[in-house]
Amino acid sequence: MRTILVYASKDVTAQMRRVVEELDRPGSEAAMGKNIEMTLTLLRCSTKPPTTATSLPPDMEPVAKQLRAATQYKDIQLWDVVPMRLQEGRDTHEDLRLPGNGVAGQVAIGNMTIHPEAVYRKDQGRYVRFSHLNLSFKMPYSTGNQFQYINAGINTSGDFMEGQKTVLGKVSGVEDEDAIFAVIALKVLD
């Protein structure tokens, strides 16, 4: 019934009311937030025509088709898929070490900090509200016979629909013809 009955003096009742309100707040340690499965897919994109035929997973083909239509990027390849488990009301931090040889054997590294504030229902389905979603990278690039790192990232917040693939944004590379797009998909676990 989700009901608490307190028989006590007015001051004890007022104190109990404050405690219950604090515990009932989203994100509190005692709140039972919903678990959320999130898949972060990173797509490497280039304006140069593909040198070899590559295929994307079938669920990413519609995203790639939209990116090709809306941007100058024509070569879209899967870079990495990062599954994550989140909990409503709690911060999650994930360190990323991305695949590939990189420049001079150096690999891109990154980290992600996410706070899913609330899960709620609308007419179309369930949504997850993120108070912040920060994705940052240190990517190597060549400067002749040496390499350096460039810092790039995405900072966003908002409401994202369960079961829908959402392009968070573009992480630019050093060259204008290269970019990384971050795509998320969410599933709320009951």
Side-chain angles (χ1 to χ4, degrees):
M1 291 178 53
R2 301 189 76 169
T3 303
I4 297 175
L5 295 174
V6 177
Y7 294 100
S9 63
K10 283 186 178 186
D11 59 328
V12 171
T13 303
Q15 184 178 8
M16 289 302 296
R17 181 181 305 270
R18 284 191 302 276
V19 168
V20 169
E21 286 172 356
E22 180 68 25
L23 292 174
D24 205 26
R25 197 178 42 134
S28 74
E29 289 296 318
M32 294 299 292
K34 292 195 178 290
N35 289 319
I36 304 158
E37 284 182 353
M38 183 178 96
T39 304
L40 169 69
T41 304
L42 299 171
L43 300 174
R44 287 184 113 153
C45 304
S46 176
T47 58
K48 299 173 187 171
T51 55
T52 58
T54 59
S55 63
L56 290 170
D59 65 325
M60 281 291 128
E61 283 297 340
V63 175
K65 184 178 178 182
Q66 287 182 345
L67 286 173
R68 286 184 190 104
T71 68
Q72 75 271 23
Y73 301 107
K74 302 306 174 211
D75 182 18
I76 300 175
Q77 299 178 14
L78 179 67
W79 190 18
D80 201 7
V81 177
V82 181
M84 298 178 73
R85 177 68 61 99
L86 313 173
Q87 187 174 34
E88 177 185 14
R90 293 194 181 200
D91 277 340
T92 299
H93 180 79
E94 185 82 20
D95 290 324
L96 307 170
R97 184 170 173 85
L98 301 166
N101 294 335
V103 176
Q106 302 301 312
V107 295
I109 56 174
N111 64 60
M112 185 172 211
T113 304
I114 308 166
H115 185 82
E117 185 176 10
V119 174
Y120 66 95
R121 187 171 294 281
K122 274 188 175 178
D123 295 339
Q124 303 94 336
R126 288 193 288 194
Y127 287 77
V128 178
R129 173 170 292 146
F130 289 106
S131 63
H132 66 269
L133 193 152
N134 307 95
L135 178 60
S136 61
F137 292 105
K138 285 182 77 166
M139 296 182 292
Y141 72 96
S142 177
T143 58
N145 54 355
Q146 295 183 335
F147 74 93
Q148 293 182 347
Y149 282 99
I150 185 171
N151 294 317
I154 298 171
N155 294 315
T156 191
S157 62
D159 299 351
F160 300 95
M161 186 174 181
E162 176 184 30
Q164 177 177 315
K165 297 213 176 345
T166 304
V167 177
L168 293 179
K170 173 178 130 177
V171 179
S172 294
V174 176
E175 310 279 334
D176 284 337
E177 66 259 4
D178 295 325
I180 299 163
F181 282 86
V183 182
I184 62 167
L186 302 165
K187 180 177 180 177
V188 179
L189 305 175
D190 291 318

